[in-house]
């Protein structure tokens, strides 16, 4: 056999062996927590090691467990959420919904919206003290 015929056969066998022994992974995924919906803002609670990721489309809050690197819940909130913060002692999260002129209060024990409060025009961020 000519060298020009052996090279493609050799490369094919080499490629198959690399996949077989795991040196090439055809199902490789990027590491991290899968968050969808145009993520815009992040808040982290160091006491519970949870994170909130604000997603605009669809309008929701992704509640993440940073220990297990999983999504605990995707909680729907008002239109165009823009900012989020934790209330650690009460295990609540507050989210500013800029197009609704509201804030959503999320109970992190039940992972549901506990209530909605009307505020001034177009809230963009939240700070808790």
């Amino acid at each position: 056999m000519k060298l020009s015929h052996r090279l493609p056969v050799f490369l094919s066998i080499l490629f198959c062996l690399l996949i077989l022994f795991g040196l090439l992974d055809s199902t490789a995924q990027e590491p991290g927590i899968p968050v969808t919906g145009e993520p815009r803002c992040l808040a982290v609670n160091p006491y519970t090691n949870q994170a909130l990721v604000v997603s605009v489309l669809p309008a929701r809050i992704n509640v993440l467990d940073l220990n297990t690197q999983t999504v605990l819940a995707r909680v729907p909130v008002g239109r165009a959420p823009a900012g989020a913060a934790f209330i650690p002692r009460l295990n609540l999260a507050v989210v500013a919904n800029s197009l609704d002129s509201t804030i959503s209060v999320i109970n992190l024990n039940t992972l549901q919206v506990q209530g909605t409060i009307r505020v001034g025009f177009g809230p963009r961020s939240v700070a808790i003290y």
Side-chain angles (χ1 to χ4, degrees), residues 58-126:
R60 65 179 172 204
I61 298 301
N62 299 281
V63 182
L64 312 177
D65 183 330
L66 298 176
N67 292 322
T68 61
Q69 294 191 1
T70 56
V71 178
L72 296 175
R74 291 183 168 99
V75 182
V77 292
R79 294 184 310 149
F86 283 98
I87 305 174
R89 286 188 174 171
L90 301 176
N91 205 26
L92 298 174
V94 180
V95 180
N97 305 307
S98 63
L99 289 182
D100 286 348
S101 296
T102 63
I103 58 171
S104 298
V105 179
I106 300 171
N107 183 328
L108 296 171
N109 295 317
T110 63
L111 298 172
Q112 296 179 344
V113 174
Q114 182 171 315
T116 303
I117 302 168
R118 188 157 291 295
V119 294
F121 179 73
R124 290 277 182 201
S125 61
V126 180

Side-chain angles (χ1 to χ4, degrees), residues 24-34 69:
L24 288 179
D25 187 357
S26 62
T27 61
Q29 297 178 356
E30 287 189 34
I33 304 170
Q69 294 191 1

